[in-house]
PDB file of all heavy atoms in Angstrom:
ATOM      1  N   GLU C 481     140.645  28.077 -45.557  1.00 98.00           N
ATOM      2  CA  GLU C 481     140.244  26.712 -45.910  1.00 98.00           C
ATOM      3  C   GLU C 481     139.084  26.231 -45.006  1.00 98.00           C
ATOM      4  O   GLU C 481     138.878  26.700 -43.977  1.00 98.00           O
ATOM      5  CB  GLU C 481     141.308  25.684 -45.944  1.00 98.00           C
ATOM      6  CG  GLU C 481     141.856  25.289 -44.597  1.00 98.00           C
ATOM      7  CD  GLU C 481     143.047  24.291 -44.622  1.00 98.00           C
ATOM      8  OE1 GLU C 481     143.614  24.100 -45.655  1.00 98.00           O
ATOM      9  OE2 GLU C 481     143.136  23.596 -43.610  1.00 98.00           O
ATOM     10  N   GLY C 482     138.307  25.250 -45.482  1.00 98.00           N
ATOM     11  CA  GLY C 482     137.288  24.715 -44.763  1.00 98.00           C
ATOM     12  C   GLY C 482     135.979  24.483 -45.583  1.00 98.00           C
ATOM     13  O   GLY C 482     136.056  24.516 -46.853  1.00 98.00           O
ATOM     14  N   ALA C 483     134.862  24.405 -44.914  1.00 97.00           N
ATOM     15  CA  ALA C 483     133.720  24.057 -45.575  1.00 97.00           C
ATOM     16  C   ALA C 483     133.008  25.311 -46.167  1.00 97.00           C
ATOM     17  O   ALA C 483     132.845  26.383 -45.549  1.00 97.00           O
ATOM     18  CB  ALA C 483     132.627  23.459 -44.535  1.00 97.00           C
ATOM     19  N   GLU C 484     132.544  25.233 -47.449  1.00 97.00           N
ATOM     20  CA  GLU C 484     131.930  26.326 -48.084  1.00 97.00           C
ATOM     21  C   GLU C 484     130.610  26.769 -47.414  1.00 97.00           C
ATOM     22  O   GLU C 484     130.199  27.922 -47.485  1.00 97.00           O
ATOM     23  CB  GLU C 484     131.715  26.050 -49.556  1.00 97.00           C
ATOM     24  CG  GLU C 484     131.268  27.301 -50.449  1.00 97.00           C
ATOM     25  CD  GLU C 484     131.731  27.276 -51.838  1.00 97.00           C
ATOM     26  OE1 GLU C 484     132.693  26.612 -52.166  1.00 97.00           O
ATOM     27  OE2 GLU C 484     131.170  28.101 -52.587  1.00 97.00           O
ATOM     28  N   ALA C 486     130.035  26.423 -44.095  1.00 98.00           N
ATOM     29  CA  ALA C 486     130.363  26.358 -42.677  1.00 98.00           C
ATOM     30  C   ALA C 486     129.428  27.292 -41.824  1.00 98.00           C
ATOM     31  O   ALA C 486     129.170  28.319 -42.257  1.00 98.00           O
ATOM     32  CB  ALA C 486     131.768  26.794 -42.450  1.00 98.00           C
ATOM     33  N   ASP C 487     128.989  26.710 -40.719  1.00 98.00           N
ATOM     34  CA  ASP C 487     128.140  27.622 -39.787  1.00 98.00           C
ATOM     35  C   ASP C 487     129.151  28.557 -39.036  1.00 98.00           C
ATOM     36  O   ASP C 487     128.719  29.720 -38.643  1.00 98.00           O
ATOM     37  CB  ASP C 487     127.524  26.790 -38.615  1.00 98.00           C
ATOM     38  CG  ASP C 487     126.232  26.076 -39.214  1.00 98.00           C
ATOM     39  OD1 ASP C 487     125.773  26.528 -40.269  1.00 98.00           O
ATOM     40  OD2 ASP C 487     125.865  25.122 -38.605  1.00 98.00           O
ATOM     41  N   ILE C 488     130.312  28.228 -38.794  1.00 98.00           N
ATOM     42  CA  ILE C 488     131.294  28.969 -38.001  1.00 98.00           C
ATOM     43  C   ILE C 488     132.524  29.430 -38.844  1.00 98.00           C
ATOM     44  O   ILE C 488     133.138  28.472 -39.481  1.00 98.00           O
ATOM     45  CB  ILE C 488     131.653  28.189 -36.762  1.00 98.00           C
ATOM     46  CG1 ILE C 488     130.523  27.536 -36.033  1.00 98.00           C
ATOM     47  CG2 ILE C 488     132.536  29.129 -35.863  1.00 98.00           C
ATOM     48  CD1 ILE C 488     130.919  26.709 -34.870  1.00 98.00           C
ATOM     49  N   MET C 489     132.787  30.633 -38.803  1.00 98.00           N
ATOM     50  CA  MET C 489     134.032  31.036 -39.480  1.00 98.00           C
ATOM     51  C   MET C 489     134.979  31.764 -38.515  1.00 98.00           C
ATOM     52  O   MET C 489     134.562  32.427 -37.695  1.00 98.00           O
ATOM     53  CB  MET C 489     133.716  32.033 -40.602  1.00 98.00           C
ATOM     54  CG  MET C 489     134.857  32.628 -41.278  1.00 98.00           C
ATOM     55  SD  MET C 489     134.082  33.411 -42.833  1.00 98.00           S
ATOM     56  CE  MET C 489     135.763  34.040 -43.492  1.00 98.00           C
ATOM     57  N   PHE C 490     136.300  31.161 -38.458  1.00 98.00           N
ATOM     58  CA  PHE C 490     137.271  31.740 -37.642  1.00 98.00           C
ATOM     59  C   PHE C 490     138.165  32.698 -38.426  1.00 98.00           C
ATOM     60  O   PHE C 490     138.571  32.272 -39.493  1.00 98.00           O
ATOM     61  CB  PHE C 490     138.159  30.635 -36.945  1.00 98.00           C
ATOM     62  CG  PHE C 490     137.377  29.737 -36.030  1.00 98.00           C
ATOM     63  CD1 PHE C 490     136.638  28.695 -36.438  1.00 98.00           C
ATOM     64  CD2 PHE C 490     137.442  30.021 -34.606  1.00 98.00           C
ATOM     65  CE1 PHE C 490     135.904  27.932 -35.494  1.00 98.00           C
ATOM     66  CE2 PHE C 490     136.823  29.239 -33.725  1.00 98.00           C
ATOM     67  CZ  PHE C 490     135.980  28.185 -34.155  1.00 98.00           C
ATOM     68  N   LEU C 518     139.138  23.170 -31.283  1.00 98.00           N
ATOM     69  CA  LEU C 518     137.949  22.723 -32.119  1.00 98.00           C
ATOM     70  C   LEU C 518     137.545  21.383 -31.660  1.00 98.00           C
ATOM     71  O   LEU C 518     136.328  21.097 -31.432  1.00 98.00           O
ATOM     72  CB  LEU C 518     138.334  22.666 -33.631  1.00 98.00           C
ATOM     73  CG  LEU C 518     138.544  24.016 -34.248  1.00 98.00           C
ATOM     74  CD1 LEU C 518     139.087  23.789 -35.766  1.00 98.00           C
ATOM     75  CD2 LEU C 518     137.047  24.702 -34.394  1.00 98.00           C
ATOM     76  N   ILE C 521     135.179  21.116 -28.684  1.00 98.00           N
ATOM     77  CA  ILE C 521     133.690  21.293 -29.031  1.00 98.00           C
ATOM     78  C   ILE C 521     133.214  20.353 -30.085  1.00 98.00           C
ATOM     79  O   ILE C 521     132.217  20.562 -30.736  1.00 98.00           O
ATOM     80  CB  ILE C 521     133.267  22.744 -29.244  1.00 98.00           C
ATOM     81  CG1 ILE C 521     134.138  23.277 -30.463  1.00 98.00           C
ATOM     82  CG2 ILE C 521     133.541  23.588 -28.043  1.00 98.00           C
ATOM     83  CD1 ILE C 521     133.615  24.700 -30.956  1.00 98.00           C
ATOM     84  N   LEU C 523     134.520  19.512 -33.012  1.00 98.00           N
ATOM     85  CA  LEU C 523     134.616  19.875 -34.440  1.00 98.00           C
ATOM     86  C   LEU C 523     135.940  19.626 -35.030  1.00 98.00           C
ATOM     87  O   LEU C 523     136.910  19.596 -34.213  1.00 98.00           O
ATOM     88  CB  LEU C 523     134.315  21.350 -34.602  1.00 98.00           C
ATOM     89  CG  LEU C 523     132.859  21.880 -34.414  1.00 98.00           C
ATOM     90  CD1 LEU C 523     132.773  23.369 -34.470  1.00 98.00           C
ATOM     91  CD2 LEU C 523     131.889  21.182 -35.392  1.00 98.00           C
ATOM     92  N   ARG C 524     135.936  19.380 -36.290  1.00 98.00           N
ATOM     93  CA  ARG C 524     137.276  19.268 -37.054  1.00 98.00           C
ATOM     94  C   ARG C 524     137.298  20.470 -37.906  1.00 98.00           C
ATOM     95  O   ARG C 524     136.244  21.040 -38.289  1.00 98.00           O
ATOM     96  CB  ARG C 524     137.293  17.965 -37.846  1.00 98.00           C
ATOM     97  CG  ARG C 524     137.504  16.675 -37.077  1.00 98.00           C
ATOM     98  CD  ARG C 524     137.353  15.502 -37.934  1.00 98.00           C
ATOM     99  NE  ARG C 524     135.917  15.174 -38.265  1.00 98.00           N
ATOM    100  CZ  ARG C 524     135.295  15.456 -39.416  1.00 98.00           C
ATOM    101  NH1 ARG C 524     136.024  15.698 -40.459  1.00 98.00           N
ATOM    102  NH2 ARG C 524     134.047  15.145 -39.645  1.00 98.00           N
ATOM    103  N   ARG C 525     138.618  20.794 -38.265  1.00 98.00           N
ATOM    104  CA  ARG C 525     138.696  22.010 -39.169  1.00 98.00           C
ATOM    105  C   ARG C 525     137.881  21.957 -40.493  1.00 98.00           C
ATOM    106  O   ARG C 525     137.609  23.007 -41.017  1.00 98.00           O
ATOM    107  CB  ARG C 525     140.224  22.388 -39.253  1.00 98.00           C
ATOM    108  CG  ARG C 525     140.938  21.369 -40.058  1.00 98.00           C
ATOM    109  CD  ARG C 525     142.335  22.073 -40.487  1.00 98.00           C
ATOM    110  NE  ARG C 525     143.187  22.617 -39.582  1.00 98.00           N
ATOM    111  CZ  ARG C 525     143.936  23.751 -39.731  1.00 98.00           C
ATOM    112  NH1 ARG C 525     143.957  24.337 -41.018  1.00 98.00           N
ATOM    113  NH2 ARG C 525     144.683  24.162 -38.781  1.00 98.00           N
ATOM    114  N   GLU C 526     137.802  20.814 -40.929  1.00 98.00           N
ATOM    115  CA  GLU C 526     136.987  20.640 -42.264  1.00 98.00           C
ATOM    116  C   GLU C 526     135.520  21.132 -42.118  1.00 98.00           C
ATOM    117  O   GLU C 526     134.821  21.429 -42.998  1.00 98.00           O
ATOM    118  CB  GLU C 526     137.095  19.274 -42.750  1.00 98.00           C
ATOM    119  CG  GLU C 526     138.355  18.618 -42.953  1.00 98.00           C
ATOM    120  CD  GLU C 526     139.043  18.192 -41.621  1.00 98.00           C
ATOM    121  OE1 GLU C 526     138.358  17.439 -40.879  1.00 98.00           O
ATOM    122  OE2 GLU C 526     140.170  18.360 -41.523  1.00 98.00           O
ATOM    123  N   GLN C 527     135.032  21.191 -40.928  1.00 98.00           N
ATOM    124  CA  GLN C 527     133.689  21.419 -40.583  1.00 98.00           C
ATOM    125  C   GLN C 527     133.432  22.899 -40.460  1.00 98.00           C
ATOM    126  O   GLN C 527     132.308  23.351 -40.357  1.00 98.00           O
ATOM    127  CB  GLN C 527     133.145  20.670 -39.420  1.00 98.00           C
ATOM    128  CG  GLN C 527     133.119  19.217 -39.694  1.00 98.00           C
ATOM    129  CD  GLN C 527     132.795  18.501 -38.352  1.00 98.00           C
ATOM    130  OE1 GLN C 527     133.504  18.468 -37.401  1.00 98.00           O
ATOM    131  NE2 GLN C 527     131.572  18.044 -38.222  1.00 98.00           N
ATOM    132  N   VAL C 528     134.423  23.763 -40.332  1.00 98.00           N
ATOM    133  CA  VAL C 528     134.276  25.130 -40.099  1.00 98.00           C
ATOM    134  C   VAL C 528     135.136  25.790 -41.244  1.00 98.00           C
ATOM    135  O   VAL C 528     135.703  25.240 -42.132  1.00 98.00           O
ATOM    136  CB  VAL C 528     134.978  25.631 -38.767  1.00 98.00           C
ATOM    137  CG1 VAL C 528     134.189  24.920 -37.535  1.00 98.00           C
ATOM    138  CG2 VAL C 528     136.480  25.387 -38.672  1.00 98.00           C
ATOM    139  N   TYR C 529     135.099  27.148 -41.292  1.00 98.00           N
ATOM    140  CA  TYR C 529     135.988  27.881 -42.175  1.00 98.00           C
ATOM    141  C   TYR C 529     137.035  28.679 -41.407  1.00 98.00           C
ATOM    142  O   TYR C 529     136.725  29.271 -40.459  1.00 98.00           O
ATOM    143  CB  TYR C 529     135.188  28.728 -43.204  1.00 98.00           C
ATOM    144  CG  TYR C 529     136.070  29.117 -44.492  1.00 98.00           C
ATOM    145  CD1 TYR C 529     136.145  28.122 -45.501  1.00 98.00           C
ATOM    146  CD2 TYR C 529     136.865  30.224 -44.550  1.00 98.00           C
ATOM    147  CE1 TYR C 529     136.926  28.430 -46.573  1.00 98.00           C
ATOM    148  CE2 TYR C 529     137.690  30.474 -45.524  1.00 98.00           C
ATOM    149  CZ  TYR C 529     137.743  29.581 -46.617  1.00 98.00           C
ATOM    150  OH  TYR C 529     138.472  29.846 -47.629  1.00 98.00           O
ATOM    151  N   ILE C 530     138.261  28.620 -41.860  1.00 98.00           N
ATOM    152  CA  ILE C 530     139.334  29.347 -41.157  1.00 98.00           C
ATOM    153  C   ILE C 530     139.973  30.144 -42.240  1.00 98.00           C
ATOM    154  O   ILE C 530     140.442  29.732 -43.289  1.00 98.00           O
ATOM    155  CB  ILE C 530     140.426  28.363 -40.617  1.00 98.00           C
ATOM    156  CG1 ILE C 530     139.726  27.352 -39.664  1.00 98.00           C
ATOM    157  CG2 ILE C 530     141.523  29.086 -39.890  1.00 98.00           C
ATOM    158  CD1 ILE C 530     140.674  26.201 -39.159  1.00 98.00           C
TER     159      ILE C 530
END
Side-chain angles (χ1 to χ4, degrees):
E481 69 178 21
E484 187 147 346
D487 284 340
I488 311 174
M489 181 163 178
F490 290 84
L518 287 170
I521 55 168
L523 290 175
R524 286 172 287 109
R525 60 160 61 212
E526 304 78 45
Q527 296 173 285
V528 300
Y529 197 84
I530 304 175

